[in-house]
Amino acid sequence: DFVVCGTFCFAQQKEIKVVDAQTGEAIAKARLTLADKILYTNDDGKVLLPDNISGVEVFAASYQKENIRSYIPIVKLKPLYKDIEGVNIVNIDVKKIFEEVNKNYSRLYYNKPSVYDILYKQKNISDHKINLLLVADAKFWTDANIYNYKYAFRGDHDQFVQIGLNNIRYFQKKEENKNYFQGSSLDRSTDMIGDLFFNYELKRLIRFSNVKGTKCTGQILNERDNEQNISFKVNMPSGFKLNGFIVYNKLDKVISHFEMNYDQSAFGTIKIKNSENVEYDFHSGNGVIIFDFYKKDNKYIPTQANTYGDYYVIFNGQKHEGAFHREITFQSFKEADNKGLTNRIDFKKKIWENIPDNEKKDSDILLSEEERRFIDENK
């Protein structure tokens, strides 16, 4: 079971790597469910585990689950299907699934006050190089595990979601004159808080699907026991395209894993002014939204909420590309009260502007090789 209180510490840890059994390629963001904590592999497919583990479930979308009872350096996951040509595709009304899950959302997903120990990670990239990396332990409180539109409309997000920074494991920010890269489109987006909640993305997806002239299709790629792996596409008349993948439990009638890619290449640029009141062109690019859930006591509890996106700007006639990555791992969960957190960040600021002091603690989090180089080069 996955109900945890308190801090989880490793006396001794060993590195483990999760790879594709057929190609040997690393599998990033594979989920490892321990007795009392949730972990995910990094961009290199690696994660640190205690050497005295007694049982770990390893899951990655489009792969068969594996259970390991003791430490092994490499875990090989078998693909559910080798290639799309070898898949017996079955069409399905995926829009109906979205609508039914949305309608029954509070019954399917845990909907009471909760507090999570989370690992918050944000990485900003300018012209293909990291220029900001933040990894922090934090608390995440929510009153009902849903996005509350009423409070959001009032700008009173603290009424339904709060984040408190506990410990800054890594924080490095490369100062640049290109101040349009000091933040990211994530920080400017009105969806920043919405992207923390699956019901927000689900309702938005349904709204897009209901636009006149929109084509929404779904296909079952694989089915095992009660789980269906379903791909979907939503093509709107405006040129906005969405495509993704879900793991759907047809017995529970719930989406346990959700990945959605959005394509905004058909849209034009907008004018933005920097801190020095200098105007430049900003163009949103493509992105990915990911949600992952874990079942406990017949309710589904979040284990990950990730947002990725890219964009470009044209400044003084030159084009510069940027990207952002925000990953939130809900490592442990417990029931909470309605009071929320004593210390919490101000959502009106960038999250690193909420860091109370310069105390940074190097830790046992396993960075990717690229991230480690960035930290070492900018100390």
Side-chain angles (χ1 to χ4, degrees), residues 154-305:
R154 297 174 184 173
D156 197 4
H157 299 94
D158 284 350
Q159 292 293 324
F160 69 91
V161 60
Q162 299 169 14
I163 294 177
L165 293 177
N166 293 348
N167 174 49
I168 309 303
R169 298 202 179 211
Y170 297 99
F171 177 57
Q172 197 64 250
K173 182 169 172 280
K174 186 176 181 181
E175 296 297 336
E176 297 185 285
N177 293 325
K178 303 178 293 185
N179 57 6
Y180 42 84
F181 279 141
Q182 293 304 312
S184 70
S185 60
L186 174 68
D187 307 310
R188 281 189 287 269
S189 174
T190 56
D191 301 317
M192 189 271 287
I193 296 176
D195 291 338
L196 300 171
F197 295 95
F198 181 43
N199 75 301
Y200 178 88
E201 294 299 341
L202 193 56
K203 285 183 178 180
R204 187 163 63 159
L205 177 58
I206 293 169
R207 188 170 71 250
F208 289 149
S209 301
N210 286 332
V211 171
K212 186 178 179 180
T214 296
K215 186 177 181 182
C216 181
T217 59
Q219 297 175 327
I220 301 174
L221 302 179
N222 179 274
E223 185 168 345
R224 173 169 295 198
D225 299 326
N226 293 311
E227 284 190 343
Q228 296 175 327
N229 290 265
I230 301 171
S231 67
F232 67 89
K233 292 182 180 180
V234 178
N235 293 326
M236 300 180 67
S238 64
F240 187 45
K241 298 177 182 179
L242 302 167
N243 66 82
F245 169 87
I246 63 173
V247 177
Y248 178 68
N249 188 304
K250 63 179 184 179
L251 180 64
D252 295 342
K253 299 187 183 301
V254 68
I255 296 171
S256 61
H257 183 82
F258 176 89
E259 297 184 19
M260 184 174 70
N261 303 277
Y262 55 88
D263 181 349
Q264 301 180 113
S265 57
F267 299 130
T269 59
I270 60 174
K271 298 290 185 181
I272 290 180
K273 291 185 178 180
N274 64 17
S275 58
E276 298 172 354
N277 208 35
V278 177
E279 192 174 69
Y280 61 93
D281 293 321
F282 175 87
H283 189 290
S284 294
N286 302 328
V288 182
I289 303 288
I290 298 175
F291 290 94
D292 205 11
F293 294 89
Y294 177 93
K295 186 179 181 181
K296 186 202 175 295
D297 297 336
N298 295 317
K299 296 277 187 174
Y300 284 80
I301 298 169
T303 57
Q304 196 161 59

Side-chain angles (χ1 to χ4, degrees), residues 88-141:
N88 182 24
I89 294 175
V90 179
N91 293 326
I92 190 171
D93 187 351
V94 70
K95 183 181 173 184
K96 183 178 178 181
I97 292 177
F98 296 148
E99 290 173 340
E100 288 184 350
V101 171
N102 179 61
K103 179 181 177 181
N104 299 303
Y105 195 91
S106 293
R107 181 176 60 81
L108 300 171
Y109 300 90
Y110 192 78
N111 66 344
K112 296 179 181 178
S114 311
V115 63
Y116 300 85
D117 290 313
I118 67 169
L119 183 70
Y120 183 102
K121 181 177 179 181
Q122 183 161 338
K123 180 167 56 178
N124 293 347
I125 296 170
S126 67
D127 290 328
H128 310 290
K129 292 183 179 180
I130 299 173
N131 74 334
L132 181 145
L133 180 64
L134 170 65
V135 182
D137 293 312
K139 292 284 186 183
F140 184 102
W141 173 88

